[in-house]
Amino acid sequence: MTKSPDAFRTISEAAEELGVPQHVLRFWETKFAFVKPMKRAGGRRFYRPQDLLVLRGVKALLHDEGVTIRGVQKLHKEHGVRRIVAAADPEAAAGFEAEPAPAPAMASGPDTIRLRAVLAAVESAKRRLDAALSA
């Protein structure tokens, strides 16, 4: 069964689709601030369709055009992520969002502190209940 083009990809699926090893995707994440897959619990990476467009562009620049890592960083700084995407798919770059919206910052303040206290109390109650049920 094949996934929808809009489905998220795991790192192994993304690596296979791009024809690069998984460690290369992890390395690119450290070198290019604009390569930001979603991360879930435990650090599992999930690549959105737009992430794959960006990665295809990075691969095209590095592997096909022979641009250096610093060169790709400079292209991004000077021209934005659309230029990176355009290296592999000029048509996709035309409709590509300029930059993804930043993730909302974790709230802080009295409400957050209260919610964390409630969460801690619930987790403590769950531990006591689990212990009682296993006895």
Side-chain angles (χ1 to χ4, degrees), residues 23-25 28 34 45 47 64 70 76 78 107 110-111 113 120:
H23 71 269
V24 169
L25 296 180
W28 287 349
F34 53 89
R45 291 165 173 82
Y47 294 86
D64 302 337
R70 285 195 80 127
H76 176 258
E78 293 174 359
D111 290 339
I113 293 168

Side-chain angles (χ1 to χ4, degrees), residues 117-135:
V118 169
L119 177 60
V122 169
E123 288 172 340
S124 174
K126 182 185 181 310
R127 283 192 298 276
R128 288 194 310 271
L129 180 60
D130 287 344
L133 290 173
S134 66

